[in-house]
Amino acid sequence: MHRPAVQQAVADAHRREWAKVLAAAVRVARDLDLAEECVQDAYVAALRTWSTDGVPSNPGAWLVTTARRNVLDALRRAQVFRAKMPLLAVDDVAEVSFTGHSAVGDDYLSLIFMCCHPALRPEGQIALTLRLVCGLDTPDIAQAFLVSETTMRARIGRAKKKIAAAHIPFRVPSASELPDRMDAVLTVIHLLFTTGHTAPSGDDLTRTDLAERAVDLARTLHSLMPNEREVRGLLALLLVNYARRATRTDVAGRLLLLEEQDRSKWDGAMIAEGHHLVVGALRGGTPGRFALQAAIAALHATAPSYADTDWDQVLVLYDELLNVWPSPVVALNRTVALAMVEGAAVALREVEGLERNDQLAGYHYVPAVKADLFRRLGRREDAAKAYRKALELVDNEAERVFLADRLAESTSG
């Protein structure tokens, strides 16, 4: 079989089957490091074996069988096989399930809840889940948390060690345990979508497989917990943003800003569904961070044009979001609305203040926003300098091309 076709089949299996294969390996290994290593080896074996034998009719079952065999071989080599014998009574590998009855129902979602154990620090829960369950690369997770790759590797390592040292069981939490894990689970799904919506690295602006997976997970969670306001908020946020997916680049793959996008090509049904969810998420007391983000996104999505957006209301919502979630990234996003309401000069002062925040060091959107404000103020040399800074920091090729084009505009003539 041709290698490109096999590579595509393995990539597809990685997107669709990773969580199930990892769950099977964890169930036998009871060790995250060992399970992850054995699953990775299974995918390497798939690339080699499928090239000669062809892609199996059930790639997931093949990978589960291979990963479990890798675990058993490793346990034998470690001379602990006998101690692990009681764990080997597993059902048919094509029907892998988790230990115990799942209060969640969806296997992928169950694994996320399992990894978001409250004994771990919140950032450790989220990072570990994104790496192991969602299969994100450590550098991309580090970008999402605005920390170095080294820091993120250490954070994931500490979470794994904590699981081992505290003897945290590999089981799906009961219904009564779900609320303590809810915020971490929502954050995982949101960051998974964010990574797909605008990929931190690579040639393409988006990773559709990740964005779709996040939307599906949010839908599943909402179907299980329809009265949870933040679950509604998260699903609304994802739907309203995902509705614009067809217009975020042109036919050549060039990034298009919100003001440049053809709103007639947005998914109206998805926006309407998201707007309906937002209304429910905002009722019943102080809204949470996902409901507020969804409300902001809905204002953008339902406005007839960029200029006709209710920028005053957007700014009010950002102020409330900062009270609920005092994030420097939220503060930076707020400056876009501030520029529309009070002018680019006022927003520029806010951005310059945010530059002193260590959390935003290396975050390419800071100089990118600053450059755009300089451009609007007619300060071409300052804009060019800021665009160069942003280009030094960006890893996504579509964003790099956009910034290079803006730099060229600032230096021409």
Side-chain angles (χ1 to χ4, degrees):
M1 190 170 183
H2 295 299
R3 189 171 179 83
V6 173
Q7 290 174 330
Q8 185 60 52
V10 172
D12 290 342
H14 186 276
R15 286 193 295 269
R16 293 194 304 265
E17 309 289 355
W18 173 269
K20 183 175 77 172
V21 180
L22 179 64
V26 167
R27 186 174 182 183
V28 177
R30 291 299 194 268
D31 179 283
L32 285 175
D33 282 326
L34 176 59
E36 184 182 14
E37 180 182 344
C38 290
V39 171
Q40 289 172 343
D41 287 345
Y43 278 94
V44 172
L47 188 61
R48 180 179 62 253
T49 305
W50 298 357
S51 296
T52 56
D53 299 348
V55 177
S57 59
N58 190 335
W62 190 98
L63 288 161
V64 165
T65 300
T66 304
R68 288 183 61 244
R69 186 179 298 123
N70 291 343
V71 171
L72 298 181
D73 289 344
L75 293 176
R76 289 188 185 100
R77 289 194 300 270
Q79 297 182 339
V80 294
F81 181 64
R82 290 186 181 279
K84 299 292 183 177
M85 279 292 290
L87 303 176
L88 305 186
V90 184
D91 296 334
D92 188 324
V93 293
E95 300 294 337
V96 173
S97 59
F98 297 96
T99 303
H101 174 70
S102 174
V104 179
D106 178 84
D107 274 358
Y108 199 105
L109 197 55
S110 294
L111 191 55
I112 292 176
F113 269 100
M114 185 179 75
C115 287
C116 290
H117 196 285
L120 303 176
R121 294 174 63 88
E123 62 271 21
Q125 296 175 28
I126 297 163
L128 182 67
T129 308
L130 287 170
R131 178 70 192 93
L132 290 184
V133 182
C134 302
L136 298 191
D137 293 332
T138 302
D140 289 346
I141 302 172
Q143 284 197 41
F145 279 85
L146 304 181
V147 299
S148 69
E149 182 179 344
T150 301
T151 297
M152 183 50 63
R153 288 191 186 281
R155 185 174 293 177
I156 293 171
R158 284 194 299 271
K160 289 180 178 179
K161 290 177 182 177
K162 173 69 173 179
I163 286 174
H167 302 290
I168 294 173
F170 292 96
R171 64 172 180 80
V172 179
S174 65
S176 63
E177 295 173 303
L178 298 184
D180 289 340
R181 309 186 187 205
M182 183 62 70
D183 187 69
V185 170
L186 293 174
T187 302
V188 165
I189 297 173
H190 181 229
L191 288 177
L192 181 64
F193 178 83
T194 301
T195 304
H197 189 63
T198 303
S201 58
D203 294 334
D204 299 322
L205 179 66
T206 62
R207 285 191 57 184
T208 303
D209 59 310
L210 297 183
E212 286 182 349
R213 189 186 305 170
V215 172
D216 289 343
L217 287 169
R219 281 197 182 281
T220 300
L221 191 58
H222 179 253
S223 69
L224 294 166
M225 303 173 181
N227 296 320
E228 288 286 339
R229 293 168 61 209
E230 278 292 79
V231 173
R232 289 181 192 165
L234 176 66
L235 179 55
L237 174 62
L238 271 51
L239 290 175
V240 171
N241 282 324
Y242 197 55
R244 299 189 291 105
R245 63 193 179 280
T247 65
R248 297 183 64 234
T249 58
D250 62 16
V251 292
R254 175 184 170 273
L255 184 154
L256 296 176
L257 297 178
L258 187 61
E259 58 205 86
E260 301 173 302
Q261 295 174 19
D262 183 352
R263 295 177 178 234
S264 68
K265 296 181 179 178
W266 290 355
D267 189 326
M270 194 169 282
I271 291 172
E273 181 184 359
H275 185 267
H276 174 74
L277 288 165
V278 168
V279 173
L282 293 176
R283 290 192 185 121
T286 303
R289 60 187 173 107
F290 292 113
L292 288 167
Q293 289 178 85
I296 293 169
L299 282 175
H300 286 299
T302 55
S305 69
Y306 187 78
D308 291 329
T309 304
D310 189 345
W311 290 106
D312 291 298
Q313 185 60 30
V314 170
L315 188 58
V316 168
L317 288 169
Y318 266 120
D319 289 339
E320 183 59 30
L321 180 58
L322 273 175
N323 288 330
V324 173
W325 189 32
S327 159
V329 174
V330 172
L332 179 65
N333 293 339
R334 176 184 175 275
T335 64
V336 176
L338 184 65
M340 297 300 293
V341 175
E342 298 187 22
V346 175
L348 180 60
R349 288 195 292 272
E350 291 284 331
V351 174
E352 289 172 337
L354 288 169
E355 284 183 304
R356 296 189 289 271
N357 189 311
D358 291 340
Q359 284 185 271
L360 294 178
Y363 190 53
H364 73 275
Y365 290 117
V366 175
V369 171
K370 188 177 182 182
D372 183 66
L373 294 172
F374 279 136
R375 183 179 63 87
R376 291 169 60 179
L377 290 168
R379 296 168 57 176
R380 291 163 60 94
E381 290 185 8
D382 290 327
K385 182 179 179 181
Y387 280 127
R388 291 190 185 97
K389 179 65 174 177
L391 279 165
E392 292 174 2
L393 300 173
V394 71
D395 290 321
N396 180 278
E397 181 62 17
E399 291 186 298
R400 190 199 67 76
V401 170
F402 172 83
L403 292 169
D405 288 345
R406 280 294 173 90
L407 173 59
E409 292 173 8
S410 299
T411 56
S412 63

